[in-house]
Amino acid sequence: MRTEPALAIVAVALAATIAPRSARADAPGPWLAVVDLEASVVGESYGGRGELLWRIGRPGTASHLRAAAGILPGPELTFVPLSLGYRALWRSDRTVQPFAGAGWESQHFLISDAPTVHRWVAVYAEAGCGFAIHPRVSLGVATSVDVALVGGVGPGLQLRSFASWRF
Amino acid sequence: MRTPGWLAILALALVLMPGAPVQAHAPGLLDASEPFVLDDPTISRALYGTIEQGDEVFVVRARLATRLALPFEVLVPHRDELRDHRPAYAVIAAGLPPVDPAEAARLPRPLPAGAGAIVDWNDRGDRDVVFESFLRRVYWSSGTVALIVPAGDVELWVWSPDRTTGDVVLSFGVEEGGVDYLEVLRHWSIYAY
């Protein structure tokens, strides 16, 4: 199998990631607000999540810090995750905007007629892709997996669609 | 700015971490049309079934080499529509106490000849609520009861005395084995929802 085409693709992808972007007077700011509709596959629940991301550094940088909070009611429990993490969002000035990230999550499972189960240390990883419909607005889909490190073993899996606005 | 290498390492760890062995009750599926036979009664089990008509009786069979003290409980998903669903279970074996006639009349079928039984009617007013962390499910529990089961042939019966319908989980045993991920994935909708 020839490796040159694969290496060329990787080289182009890396160059697109690190190449400087020209600044525009009307360039969007460093903040990204995101609203998600989400389904939790493990621990059936459905709801929404709000996210706020802050770009680290100059325009064109992929790195963002992320804070998020959600509430997902289900037939047996209500899942309330609070997250802090990192997201790499590439090609933010292009139509197709893939991203990946990871971080820490504090998980609350609210149960009627029983004490809330709180798992205060979990780690998550996420990946998704947005599609720009406006210079500042994107729609997309994402998935995330998480695993609690304290308070009970068990992986989680969420699927979500989102709308984001950069300002 | 290039993506930090630690991000890739963390993502890889998250992918690999579920492959680490997890000790838990081994799952299985109950079928009212045939008994569930335990190969190794020392391994703790969580057996899932659905009472659809109200008159089903799930039967589990095992042969104990020695007398064992085993914990038993019956679980019902913590959902509003199952609030009144209280399946009972009976442990049946020779050497267990005889059942009085009033209680025997409430059993779903006659006991085998020579067998006694211990019955948990799951009629306690306040049921415990338990959170199962692996699949993130919540259940009402009949309460864990430790019973000394004699050596020999043992049967477990699970049924709904009030003929209510709904899901039920029979949980028993002490020695936790590894989770059979393939079994869980193969019947995901039964175990997870």
Side-chain angles (χ1 to χ4, degrees), chain A:
Chain A
M1 177 180 174
R2 295 174 63 85
T3 59
E4 293 89 338
L7 290 174
I9 292 171
V10 171
V12 167
L14 282 174
T17 302
I18 64 175
R21 307 270 189 267
S22 57
R24 298 194 322 231
D26 61 344
W31 296 97
L32 191 65
V34 186
V35 175
D36 305 277
L37 291 177
E38 184 166 323
S40 180
V41 176
V42 184
E44 182 188 5
S45 51
Y46 309 92
R49 197 186 294 237
E51 305 177 58
L52 187 64
L53 289 87
W54 178 67
R55 187 187 62 224
I56 304 169
R58 57 181 171 77
T61 301
S63 292
H64 294 71
L65 295 179
R66 173 180 180 263
I71 181 163
L72 291 83
E76 296 175 10
L77 50 79
T78 296
F79 178 41
V80 178
L82 304 174
S83 314
L84 290 174
Y86 169 91
R87 176 181 291 177
L89 173 60
W90 298 283
R91 302 165 49 90
S92 57
D93 59 346
R94 308 290 173 85
T95 301
V96 179
Q97 303 167 346
F99 64 85
W104 165 86
E105 190 163 89
S106 173
Q107 302 177 334
H108 299 77
F109 300 94
L110 279 59
I111 304 166
S112 64
D113 69 28
T116 296
V117 175
H118 180 202
R119 305 207 296 211
W120 61 275
V121 180
V123 292
Y124 75 87
E126 58 167 6
C129 192
F131 301 89
I133 61 171
H134 180 275
R136 294 175 182 265
V137 178
S138 297
L139 303 177
V141 293
T143 185
S144 64
V145 296
D146 64 78
V147 59
L149 302 179
V150 176
V153 179
L157 173 65
Q158 293 85 36
L159 306 173
R160 50 182 177 264
S161 59
F162 67 84
S164 67
W165 173 53
R166 185 172 288 281
F167 61 99

Side-chain angles (χ1 to χ4, degrees), chain B residues 29-38 47-48 56-61 109 155-156:
Chain B
L29 297 180
L30 292 170
D31 184 343
S33 64
E34 59 182 303
F36 188 103
V37 179
L38 291 174
L47 303 179
Y48 293 68
E56 294 96 323
V57 180
F58 298 115
V59 177
V60 179
R61 289 188 181 145
R109 54 185 63 169
E155 277 194 5
L156 306 175

Side-chain angles (χ1 to χ4, degrees), chain A residues 18 41-44 63 75-77 86 90 102 107 111-114 117 119 123-125 146-147 153-156, chain B residues 1-4 6-7 10-11 14 17-18 22 77-80 83 129 131 133-138 140 188 192-193:
Chain A
I18 64 175
V41 176
V42 184
E44 182 188 5
S63 292
E76 296 175 10
L77 50 79
Y86 169 91
W90 298 283
Q107 302 177 334
I111 304 166
S112 64
D113 69 28
V117 175
R119 305 207 296 211
V123 292
Y124 75 87
D146 64 78
V147 59
V153 179
Chain B
M1 181 179 179
R2 287 177 293 182
T3 307
W6 60 261
L7 179 61
L10 178 61
L14 282 171
M17 194 180 295
V22 172
H78 189 266
R79 301 183 177 214
D80 285 342
R83 191 169 290 275
V129 177
F131 176 73
S133 64
F134 189 73
L135 292 176
R136 303 185 181 183
R137 297 202 60 185
V138 186
W140 279 296
W188 178 258
Y193 302 133

